[in-house]
Amino acid sequence: MATTTGSFIAGGIAACGAVTVTHGFETVKIRLQLQGELQSKQEAVRLYRGVFHGVGVILKNEGPRGLLRGLGCAYVYQMTLNGCRLGFYEPLRKTVTNMIYKDPTVQSFGINLFSGAASGILGAAAGSPFFLIKTRLQSYSPFLPVGTQHHYQNAVDGMRQIYSQEGIKGLYRGVGPAMVRTGFGSSVQLPTYFFAKRRLVQHFGMEEGMPLHIASSTASGFVVCCVMHPPDTVMSRMYNQTGNLYSSAFDCLYRTVKTEGIFAVYKGYFAHLARILPHTVSQAYRPYCEVEQ
Ligand SMILES: *[C@@H]1O[C@H](CO)[C@@H](O)[C@H](O)[C@H]1NC(C)=O
């Protein structure tokens, strides 16, 4: 694994490029997840009717600016997440490997996976306030609002307002589901990637190379999105709330499913997929600690 400052910066720039390209889908995803919250299917008004409809409506009413709300926050979040992954992965992996095998140079898939997930979870915790503000900036719309409309001028203003009204606790609202979400994603991505790869080689006779990488990472992207999306929906809703609509993430999950049906946790799935696939596919495969989110 590359650890030099140069490669950190290069990796950061590449990640920010991917974030820029897919940010619009993320905006649509958040609005899809929030619309019709705690309303039965009959009473819920569907302002946004899917990924492409959502992108179209936002472009028409708010222009490209509407799709790119919260982009600055997305960069800071991405940097925090990647920084934690690069910073914690190796030390963690070495320590645990040394504890179990008495030799830090052993490569164990299980330990590597654990270290990747754990450093991702730490990154998600550290970056949660940025994700919170990003979510609120993205759900803000002067035309078709869904969710609480928070009038933040920008990320710094958002941070200042939340801190002065609710303190540190307010900034860390929703950190639980945020950690679960990244933990789920990080632990599923590589096993499914390798599983898909083996199957494609066995059953379709594909050979090592770009097409195999693209096919395997696409397959793994679908699965990653399936496990990540329910905690992601809970997270978006916890981030939206300002009062005490939900007492906990479990309360949110329970009431969402009870009022809107089981598929409510998959609202915005395709927008999420559109957000994730370009990341998973474009990643030059870096061992054990990669999943965007
Ligand atoms: C967002 O949070 C507010 C305040 O907690 C709540 O009233 C609202 O129902 C939530 N959801 C939406 C879609 O507005």
Side-chain angles (χ1 to χ4, degrees), residues 34 37 147-148 240-243 245:
L34 290 177
E37 184 173 8
T148 320
N240 159 70
Q241 78 165 351
T242 32
L245 181 60

Side-chain angles (χ1 to χ4, degrees), residues 132-184:
L132 166 77
I133 295 171
K134 180 178 84 68
T135 302
R136 293 181 175 182
L137 288 168
Q138 287 177 296
S139 64
Y140 176 80
S141 165
F143 296 90
L144 294 175
V146 287
T148 320
Q149 298 292 294
H150 300 269
H151 294 266
Y152 302 142
Q153 302 295 324
N154 51 45
V156 180
D157 177 49
M159 201 149 274
R160 207 178 39 79
Q161 282 195 37
I162 299 175
Y163 182 72
S164 68
Q165 285 155 19
E166 307 170 72
I168 293 284
K169 227 185 111 218
L171 286 172
Y172 275 94
R173 211 180 253 291
V175 66
M179 290 162 76
V180 171
R181 163 186 182 279
T182 303
F184 277 13

Side-chain angles (χ1 to χ4, degrees), residues 25 28 32 49-58 270-271 274:
F25 293 129
V28 174
L32 287 170
R49 277 184 259 122
V51 197
F52 296 112
H53 178 258
V55 170
V57 164
I58 296 176
F270 290 106

Side-chain angles (χ1 to χ4, degrees), residues 6-272:
S7 69
F8 172 70
I9 294 172
I13 292 173
C16 286
V19 166
T20 313
V21 176
T22 55
H23 193 77
F25 293 129
E26 176 93 350
T27 304
V28 174
K29 183 204 76 180
I30 288 168
R31 296 186 187 188
L32 287 170
Q33 287 174 318
L34 290 177
Q35 82 177 349
E37 184 173 8
L38 298 189
Q39 293 173 336
S40 66
K41 284 198 196 81
Q42 291 75 29
E43 54 177 345
V45 184
R46 293 181 72 211
L47 299 174
Y48 301 97
R49 277 184 259 122
V51 197
F52 296 112
H53 178 258
V55 170
V57 164
I58 296 176
L59 270 182
K60 194 170 123 241
N61 290 325
E62 303 167 49
R65 259 194 74 206
L67 284 175
L68 295 182
R69 286 180 204 282
L71 186 60
C73 259
Y75 290 153
V76 180
Y77 174 78
Q78 201 62 45
M79 290 293 198
T80 313
L81 184 65
N82 287 352
C84 284
R85 282 197 169 129
L86 282 175
F88 292 123
Y89 175 77
E90 225 7 64
L92 205 61
R93 189 196 68 73
K94 275 202 183 119
T95 313
V96 179
T97 312
N98 205 18
M99 261 160 46
I100 295 178
Y101 293 99
K102 310 278 176 263
D103 173 9
T105 57
V106 175
Q107 292 291 335
S108 146
F109 185 72
I111 294 178
N112 294 2
L113 203 63
F114 163 79
S115 312
S119 48
I121 291 170
L122 285 173
S128 183
F130 303 112
F131 213 127
L132 166 77
I133 295 171
K134 180 178 84 68
T135 302
R136 293 181 175 182
L137 288 168
Q138 287 177 296
S139 64
Y140 176 80
S141 165
F143 296 90
L144 294 175
V146 287
T148 320
Q149 298 292 294
H150 300 269
H151 294 266
Y152 302 142
Q153 302 295 324
N154 51 45
V156 180
D157 177 49
M159 201 149 274
R160 207 178 39 79
Q161 282 195 37
I162 299 175
Y163 182 72
S164 68
Q165 285 155 19
E166 307 170 72
I168 293 284
K169 227 185 111 218
L171 286 172
Y172 275 94
R173 211 180 253 291
V175 66
M179 290 162 76
V180 171
R181 163 186 182 279
T182 303
F184 277 13
S186 310
S187 25
V188 164
Q189 188 180 13
L190 284 164
T192 50
Y193 174 84
F194 289 128
F195 180 82
K197 212 169 186 178
R198 274 199 306 276
R199 291 297 134 127
L200 289 169
V201 171
Q202 269 172 17
H203 300 299
F204 298 93
M206 289 183 77
E207 283 163 24
E208 204 56 59
M210 211 31 149
L212 179 62
H213 169 72
I214 293 177
S216 327
S217 47
T218 303
S220 115
F222 270 95
V223 182
V224 166
C225 203
C226 282
V227 297
M228 244 169 111
H229 201 75
D232 189 88
T233 302
V234 170
M235 179 188 74
S236 293
R237 292 176 170 205
M238 298 291 284
Y239 279 165
N240 159 70
Q241 78 165 351
T242 32
N244 297 312
L245 181 60
Y246 303 114
S247 58
S248 70
F250 290 107
D251 181 44
C252 175
L253 181 64
Y254 175 75
R255 282 164 62 196
T256 296
V257 171
K258 202 174 145 217
T259 46
E260 302 163 57
I262 185 78
F263 292 111
V265 293
Y266 280 107
K267 280 185 179 178
Y269 175 84
F270 290 106
H272 199 180

